[in-house]
Amino acid sequence: MGKGNGPPWLVSDGLWERIEPLLPVRTRRPRHPGRLPLDDRTCLQGILFVLHTGIQWEWLSCTEICGVPDARVTVLAKENHQHHGSTP
């Protein structure tokens, strides 16, 4: 896992304190706010996870990194299982 205390894609509190001020502040529209955005720190950790492990972006939502399953990924997983002769 490297020299740190955990997986290399996890952003430490100290590093996040340095990165967070560099990110733009998002404001939501009051009338049509749309879906709630994901947490910036979680998104960064997802990007680092993909870069470190080399998994495909489509499979990221199947991990515990982002946590919200995507319907597209569910279909891909089902097709993958069917192609290899196993059940999901």
Side-chain angles (χ1 to χ4, degrees):
M1 283 198 202
K3 296 179 181 180
N5 293 337
W9 55 84
L10 294 182
V11 177
S12 68
D13 292 338
L15 179 59
W16 185 245
E17 287 176 7
R18 294 176 61 192
I19 293 173
E20 189 175 27
L22 303 174
L23 300 175
V25 176
R26 290 181 278 177
T27 57
R28 297 190 69 199
R29 298 175 298 184
R31 188 151 189 228
H32 301 286
R35 107 172 34 167
L36 288 173
L38 291 174
D39 175 57
D40 289 332
R41 187 173 183 169
T42 302
C43 290
L44 176 59
Q45 290 180 160
I47 292 167
L48 295 174
F49 179 79
V50 169
L51 294 174
H52 181 76
T53 62
I55 70 165
Q56 296 175 1
W57 287 105
E58 292 87 13
W59 293 101
L60 183 60
S61 62
C62 288
T63 67
E64 293 180 7
I65 301 296
C66 287
V68 180
D70 186 343
R72 181 176 41 136
V73 175
T74 304
V75 170
L76 288 172
K78 184 176 180 181
E79 289 174 358
N80 186 42
H81 287 293
Q82 288 174 348
H83 177 63
H84 293 293
S86 61
T87 58

